[in-house]
Amino acid sequence: MTSAIAIVGAGPRGVGLLERLGASIPELLPATCCGADVDVHLIDPYPAGAGRIWRHEQSPLLAMNSMAADVTMFTDDTVVCDGPIRPGPSFWDWAQDLRASGDPDVLGPELAAELRAVTASTFPSRRLQSAYLSWVLDEVIAGLPPGVRVHIHRTRAVELTEEGETQAVHLEDGSALHVDAVVLASGHLDATPTDEELALVARATGLGLRYLPPEQTTDSDLSVIEPGETVIVRGMGLAFVDLMVLIFEGRGGRFEPTGPGEDTLRYIPSGAEPRLVAGSPRGAPYHSKTHYELRAGRPPLPRFLGPAEIDPLIAEGGPVELLPQVWPLMAKEIGWGWYHELFLGHPDRVRLSWDEFAARYAELEWGTPEMDELLAAAVPGPVDRIDFAALDRPLDGLHAPDLATLQPLVQERIAEDLRQHVDPAHTPHLGAFVAMLSVYGQVGRMVGAGALSGRSQAFDLSWWQGFFNSVASGPPGFRVRELLALARAGFVQFLGAGMWVDIADGVFHAGSATLQDAPPVTSTVLVDARLPHASAARTVDPLVAGLMRSGAASELELVDADGTVLRNTGQLRVRPSDGALIDASGAVHPHRFAVGPHTAVKLAGAFTRPGMNSQSLRYNDAVARAVLRSLPNSAAEASAA
């Protein structure tokens, strides 16, 4: 008997699921060893393995925001999951192996040169990551059990229907695949603009202004931005960094060191660049990725926010408020990662032994006077104490009468933040990052289970996601250096925190809370440098849109404590334990699953750092095993019969 599975989305998430399916098939589909077959269909209009985000066909200037040693697609002995552990090479291992015993020239001259120069701490180009992901796919397919066949469909899935117990996946060319189970692993879903964005488009178009709404920056038509003009940019995250790369270096500008041994850059313009005036709610770019390793090793996690704390909150069934109830544990956990690294990695900067500090720290609640007293007594240097307010609002207390006066003040704060993220004297930042990944997974479990109340989900969760992104998902340090070089040259100016945008007198106006009394910046161009807000209801993906229209899929609702629906999250509702799709009536579909950022189960990424017991790898395993158990010839079905 042949079973069939369709994975819609053949990027890193889809490949990770395929690897986990192969790992568990011998256990859960033992019939495959006795003549039965399994067909797995990978469906994606973009190249399988890399997918849309990591496809080779993008600017060679764009880089990852992870170091070579911090990327893997394979499980290792730290990953706690039910399926077998199948170790495999990280990006860095793959690069070394290819250099030592392979032929880097098969990648082409540019990527071969990059591969030969890459180090463990290099931030590789996205094109080189694309080559790694393509290799991973080939390796996963080669290692599948006998009887498992993979079929790659370089097309779009446009509809999902049911024919009895069979799932029919309709493809763009009019054909259909008939399978037993489907996994939606499409990644970020593009969406039509919000009502606010549509109104802005209409007003801008009517006045002859140019407005680029939220989208993947690599897909934006930046040719509408002309050399020499002022452009207002709203958003300072990773989409802004991509915009900066494509607008400046992508138009022929270049960066040069200012002198031997100096850790600064100078921007040499091409004459084709505009001038960007950028702002956001925080007013500063995301914090740089750390450029060092832990001295004390991975902190023991979870410690204060794990299943022992989360499971009872979920089991209670009542609404939980994130910031009042859970944040003290979240902060304590992140602080634990910070201080574990500080005390064991930099013992000369503390006044207590780690054992004594850890025992007293465990007894106290975060944010209490007693905890503050302990930290002040044990850690004399203010820079060595974690400061959540400064991490979250780096421009707090900063005000200026005009744009020119503000620039050196913002540049100074960005430069100091960069220094702390590249100087090994400040490795506690990395300890906190590792703990944040653990916290992110636990909060994701609560969200998926619907344990958080509406107010928390509508407001506090939005803050938490933004805080996590700014602290844990920032650009490489060299990109921040480039941004500072552009700022010193006058090609990028910072608006400050609390940015606002309006249209008046026929042009865009922009200002900020930091520049309260300053005249607004004006321009005929506005770029919203961010991804669209998640919305399964507004998605342009035809398959998901069809499921939403028919009620076969639903969005997770934000419900207030009294049961009032505040709004939808825009994310597909799934069963948290295994990603099974939940329809509009609340029923769980036995043969349809979804995993990734378009679902209510938030994961930190499709690939991960080695040795971190990654939530993404654990969840891939749980989903893959649920898919296998749903098949008609699974061991679970046989035992039930």
Side-chain angles (χ1 to χ4, degrees):
M1 179 180 181
T2 299
S3 298
I5 301 165
I7 301 177
V8 181
R13 180 70 63 191
V15 174
L17 287 167
L18 177 65
E19 189 278 329
R20 289 290 82 200
L21 288 170
S24 286
I25 278 175
E27 173 194 348
L28 299 181
L29 291 181
T32 57
C33 303
C34 306
D37 295 323
V38 179
D39 287 318
V40 182
H41 299 272
L42 296 178
I43 308 163
D44 201 315
Y46 296 95
R52 177 184 179 185
I53 303 302
W54 304 101
R55 66 190 189 273
H56 178 83
E57 297 302 320
Q58 58 183 300
S59 171
L61 298 171
L62 296 172
M64 300 183 67
N65 66 331
S66 296
M67 292 189 289
D70 289 342
V71 175
T72 190
M73 289 282 292
F74 297 100
T75 54
D76 56 41
D77 57 9
T78 67
V79 178
V80 179
C81 62
D82 293 332
I85 300 302
R86 298 286 177 84
S90 68
F91 181 105
W92 174 228
D93 295 330
W94 165 78
Q96 293 180 96
D97 291 344
L98 188 54
R99 285 198 303 231
S101 56
D103 180 12
D105 290 329
V106 299
L107 302 177
E110 291 183 359
L111 289 186
E114 182 183 355
L115 182 90
R116 290 187 172 100
V118 77
T119 69
S121 59
T122 297
F123 288 82
S125 71
R126 293 183 198 170
R127 282 186 167 184
L128 195 55
Q129 168 71 346
S130 180
Y132 170 66
L133 294 173
S134 297
W135 176 87
V136 169
L137 174 60
D138 292 342
E139 193 76 359
V140 168
I141 291 175
L144 291 172
V148 181
R149 298 181 295 254
V150 175
H151 310 270
I152 296 174
H153 305 269
R154 184 76 184 268
T155 187
R156 192 178 307 277
V158 297
E159 188 179 10
L160 177 58
T161 61
E162 221 155 23
E163 298 176 8
E165 291 295 312
T166 301
Q167 304 299 307
V169 183
H170 301 266
L171 305 181
E172 206 163 26
D173 64 3
S175 63
L177 302 171
H178 293 85
V179 299
D180 300 297
V182 177
V183 187
L184 306 181
S186 310
H188 291 282
L189 296 178
D190 289 337
T192 58
T194 64
D195 290 343
E196 180 183 353
E197 290 161 0
L198 286 172
L200 189 55
V201 168
R203 290 183 67 194
T205 302
L207 292 168
L209 305 177
R210 286 156 290 162
Y211 168 54
L212 276 61
E215 62 180 341
Q216 291 281 352
T217 309
T218 50
D219 297 329
S220 297
D221 179 12
L222 301 180
S223 66
V224 302
I225 298 175
E226 298 177 359
E229 68 180 338
T230 296
V231 178
I232 297 171
V233 182
R234 182 163 56 180
M236 297 188 69
L238 296 182
F240 167 73
V241 173
D242 282 356
L243 175 70
M244 178 188 82
V245 173
L246 296 172
I247 282 291
F248 293 105
E249 199 174 1
R251 291 190 176 186
R254 68 184 194 278
F255 297 92
E256 293 182 349
T258 56
E262 292 187 28
D263 195 21
T264 54
L265 293 176
R266 176 177 60 189
Y267 178 66
I268 309 300
S270 68
E273 54 273 282
R275 182 173 70 97
L276 305 184
V277 183
S280 68
R282 289 183 174 85
Y286 285 1
H287 300 274
S288 166
K289 278 295 179 68
T290 54
H291 285 234
Y292 34 64
E293 297 181 356
L294 291 170
R295 293 186 175 185
R298 185 178 184 273
L301 297 165
R303 176 63 176 85
F304 301 105
L305 188 71
E309 292 76 26
I310 294 299
D311 289 350
L313 293 174
I314 294 175
E316 286 176 5
V320 177
E321 297 289 349
L322 183 70
L323 290 188
Q325 291 180 257
V326 191
W327 171 250
L329 294 175
M330 295 165 65
K332 190 174 182 180
E333 187 85 321
I334 298 167
W336 172 257
W338 175 287
Y339 291 113
H340 178 272
E341 175 63 16
L342 176 67
F343 275 75
L344 297 179
H346 306 272
D348 56 313
R349 303 215 300 265
V350 297
R351 290 174 174 163
L352 296 176
S353 71
W354 168 245
D355 289 341
E356 182 181 358
F357 175 82
R360 293 173 61 181
Y361 185 91
E363 295 172 351
L364 302 175
E365 293 185 10
W366 189 264
T368 60
E370 293 78 12
M371 177 65 85
D372 294 341
E373 289 172 8
L374 170 64
L375 297 179
V379 184
V383 74
D384 288 327
R385 296 195 289 269
I386 192 168
D387 187 338
F388 286 106
L391 288 172
D392 183 34
R393 301 181 301 276
L395 302 189
D396 256 17
L398 195 62
H399 296 283
D402 53 60
L403 196 64
T405 305
L406 178 63
Q407 300 317 297
L409 303 178
V410 177
Q411 292 173 27
E412 181 182 4
R413 295 201 180 191
I414 294 174
E416 172 59 20
D417 184 75
L418 172 62
R419 186 189 68 81
Q420 292 186 26
H421 284 76
V422 300
D423 183 347
H426 297 282
T427 58
H429 279 283
L430 181 54
F433 167 82
V434 172
M436 284 188 74
L437 295 180
S438 178
V439 168
Y440 192 85
Q442 296 300 330
V443 174
R445 289 184 58 225
M446 297 180 68
V447 174
L452 299 174
S453 76
R455 188 184 69 82
S456 290
Q457 292 192 48
F459 305 108
D460 298 350
L461 270 175
S462 177
W463 169 82
W464 162 243
Q465 184 66 55
F467 177 68
F468 178 88
N469 289 344
S470 70
V471 175
S473 297
F478 75 88
R479 290 296 190 213
V480 182
R481 289 193 184 95
E482 291 172 355
L483 174 60
L484 287 169
L486 289 164
R488 288 191 296 267
F491 287 100
V492 173
Q493 291 182 292
F494 303 108
L495 268 173
M499 179 187 185
W500 57 264
V501 174
D502 198 1
I503 295 179
D505 303 321
V507 294
F508 291 111
H509 286 226
S512 72
T514 306
L515 293 168
Q516 293 176 345
D517 300 319
V521 175
T522 61
S523 174
T524 58
V525 189
L526 169 66
V527 178
D528 263 334
R530 59 176 174 82
L531 292 177
H533 290 301
S535 177
R538 291 187 291 104
T539 182
V540 297
D541 181 286
L543 189 153
V544 175
L547 294 176
M548 291 295 297
R549 285 193 302 270
S550 68
S554 59
E555 291 180 330
L556 180 68
E557 293 178 334
L558 304 180
V559 182
D560 209 349
D562 62 1
T564 302
V565 176
L566 299 177
R567 64 174 178 86
N568 293 329
T569 63
Q571 297 155 343
L572 287 174
R573 190 161 51 138
V574 296
R575 184 164 57 194
S577 61
D578 60 11
L581 201 62
I582 299 176
D583 68 17
S585 72
V588 177
H589 199 289
H591 302 292
R592 293 177 178 176
F593 303 83
V595 59
H598 60 310
T599 74
V601 176
K602 300 291 287 181
L603 304 170
F607 43 80
T608 185
R609 289 184 172 210
M612 302 297 284
N613 188 24
S614 160
Q615 182 202 19
S616 293
L617 296 178
R618 287 183 279 130
Y619 197 64
N620 282 352
D621 185 77
V623 173
R625 291 174 69 85
V627 169
L628 293 174
R629 290 192 181 98
S630 77
L631 300 180
N633 60 336
S634 71
E637 182 177 89
S639 63

